[in-house]
Amino acid sequence: MLDETLLDAPEALAQADRRGLLRGAAEAGARVRTAARHAAEAGVTALQSEGRPRTVLVAGTGTAATGAADLIAALAGASAPVIRLRPTGVAPAGGAVRWALPGWAGSVDLLLIPTNDGSEPGLATLAEQAYRRGVTVVAVAPRSSPITEAVGTTHGLVVPMATAPHELYDEPQAAGPGALWALFTPLLALLDRVGLFTAPADTLEKVADRLDRTAERCGPGVATYNNPAKTLAAELSDALPLIWTEGAAAAPVGRRFAAVLAELAGRPALAAELPEALAAHAGLLAGDFAGGADPDDFFRDRVEDAQALHARVVLLRDRPADEGGLSAVPAARELALGHDTPLSELEPEEGNTLAALAELLAVTDFAACYLALASGRRL
C-alpha cells in the first residue's frame, strides 16, 4: 500500500531515501553539464568525422546501460543500425558473463561500452577482442576502473563517468537517473561527431535546462496536486501499469519506466508501442486485471485482504497531441475507457526531440522514486 501522506512530507521522504535517488533526479541537469564537460576534456568534441560507422554496437550491464543503448537506437533511427550486444553466462555477476562481437564486425564499426560499474571482466575481454578486429572502441566508465584501463591500453577512447560528490563513497545505483545521464550524455556528444544525429553543445545545454525545469515541477517540496510525478506515483499505487507509447522517442522511455519500476519500486509493469499495444494488452483490460474485476464473493469482508492490482494505462507521447494528425491515442483512450480502465497521460512541452525525451525521462524517474519510497522500500 502506498503511504500518500509521505509524498507531501519532504523531510520524511529524505529520511527514507537512503540512496539519494530523489537527489539524483533533481541533479540530472547538472549531471548532463558535467558529463558534457568530461566528454569535451576527453577529446570527443574535437574528433574529426571520417564518415558514419556501418554499425554501432553497444555493450554494458544494468538498467542505465540498457536504457542508454535503447535511447541511442531510437535517436539514430535509419542513420545506422544500433545493436545491443547481450551477455551470456550463468549469472549476472562479475566474471560470470561474457560478450562476443558478431562475426562480421570490423574496422568500419563502432563499439560503445557504457557502464556505471566498470569492473566486469567480460567487458575488458570484449574491448581487447574489438582491438584485434580493428573495431573502434569508446567507453564511458568510472575513473580507475578495470574497463577504463583495458580500453586505454588498446588505444580506445575513454570518457570518465560523471559523478556527484555524494556518490564518491557510495556507488551510484544503476537504475537511478544520475547513472543514466552520466552514461548517455557523452555518447550523445560522440554520435553527434560521427553524424548519427545532431546533439551539439548548445543542444545538450538545452537538455540540461529542460531537466532543471522539470525537477522544479517534480521536486519533493511541490505538493502532489501540482506535481506530475507525485500524481503519477499516487495513481499507480494499486495498479498494474500498462505503459503505451507513441513516437520513436517515447518508446525507449516507456521501456525504461517499466524497468525502473521493477528495480526500484518492485512493481510489475508492461510497456508496448501504439498501435500494437491495443491488441497486445486488450486481454489484460478484460481479464482479472480489469478495472471492475472481482471474481470472488462481492459481499465478503475485505478488511484483511491484500490490495488487488488492476490495470491502469499510462499514455506517453514524445510530442504534444496533434488532434488532426495520424495518431492511435484516441483509439487507446476509447479502448481503456470502454473497459473501465483508468488512464494517465504524459506529454512534453514544445521543443526538440532530445528536450522532449529528457522531460519524459525526468517525470517518470521521479514518479518511480516516489512510488518506491512511499511504498515503504528503503533504498
Side-chain angles (χ1 to χ4, degrees):
M1 293 292 293
L2 188 78
D3 181 4
E4 294 193 28
T5 62
L6 187 66
L7 292 178
D8 288 324
E11 293 183 1
L13 280 171
Q15 185 176 3
D17 189 10
R18 299 178 182 178
R19 296 300 301 270
L21 292 175
L22 290 175
R23 184 192 298 184
E27 294 174 346
R31 192 71 62 101
V32 168
R33 296 183 183 93
T34 302
R37 186 174 68 250
H38 285 186
E41 292 171 352
V44 170
T45 56
L47 292 174
Q48 298 299 316
S49 177
E50 297 179 357
R52 295 177 179 176
R54 176 181 61 181
T55 305
V56 178
L57 307 169
V58 188
T61 58
T63 305
T66 301
D70 200 6
L71 291 165
I72 289 169
L75 292 173
S79 299
V82 178
I83 300 174
R84 178 176 168 245
L85 301 181
R86 301 181 182 274
T88 58
V90 296
V97 293
R98 293 287 185 270
W99 288 261
L101 290 174
W104 44 260
S107 59
V108 293
D109 301 306
L110 173 63
L111 172 63
L112 305 178
I113 304 179
T115 171
N116 70 303
D117 182 355
S119 64
E120 306 93 334
L123 289 179
T125 302
L126 177 68
E128 295 167 0
Q129 181 187 6
Y131 172 68
R132 293 193 297 269
R133 299 265 290 272
V135 178
T136 301
V137 181
V138 178
V140 184
R143 295 181 187 271
S144 304
S145 61
I147 188 62
T148 295
E149 181 179 353
V151 173
T153 56
T154 56
H155 306 288
L157 176 63
V158 179
V159 180
M161 181 178 172
T163 57
H166 61 87
E167 291 175 344
L168 294 180
Y169 305 102
D170 185 17
E171 180 183 340
Q173 195 151 336
L180 173 69
W181 288 106
L183 298 179
F184 184 40
T185 304
L187 301 181
L188 286 173
L190 172 70
L191 298 182
D192 172 75
R193 299 305 302 162
V194 300
L196 290 189
F197 50 81
T198 303
D202 60 337
T203 297
L204 295 181
E205 183 62 31
K206 291 178 181 177
V207 168
D209 291 342
R210 179 69 71 93
L211 289 170
D212 288 343
R213 292 199 302 273
T214 307
E216 291 176 358
R217 296 166 50 216
C218 298
V222 181
T224 298
Y225 68 85
N226 203 31
N227 186 320
K230 288 183 179 181
T231 298
L232 181 57
E235 291 171 345
L236 297 181
S237 61
D238 60 350
L240 171 67
L242 303 181
I243 305 168
W244 296 352
T245 63
E246 184 169 76
V253 176
R255 289 188 286 268
R256 171 177 165 80
F257 189 29
V260 173
L261 283 173
E263 185 167 335
L264 295 185
R267 297 297 185 94
L270 300 173
E273 298 178 45
L274 291 172
E276 289 89 348
L278 302 180
H281 291 172
L284 293 171
L285 302 185
D288 292 341
F289 294 103
D294 190 356
D296 298 324
D297 179 12
F298 178 81
F299 295 101
R300 76 179 187 278
D301 185 0
R302 292 175 170 77
V303 172
E304 297 187 5
D305 284 2
Q307 184 71 38
L309 287 181
H310 294 298
R312 185 181 190 96
V313 172
V314 180
L315 279 177
L316 298 181
R317 296 188 296 276
D318 61 3
R319 61 182 58 85
D322 180 6
E323 298 299 335
L326 184 63
S327 172
V329 169
R333 293 188 185 120
E334 182 178 355
L335 178 64
L337 297 178
H339 288 87
D340 296 323
T341 301
L343 198 69
S344 301
E345 298 192 41
L346 285 179
E347 64 180 34
E349 299 174 358
E350 293 284 355
N352 62 41
T353 300
L354 273 178
L357 182 150
E359 182 178 334
L360 289 177
L361 284 170
V363 174
T364 52
D365 277 342
F366 266 108
C369 294
Y370 286 129
L371 187 59
L373 296 172
S375 298
R377 291 176 67 86
R378 296 296 181 259
L379 303 169

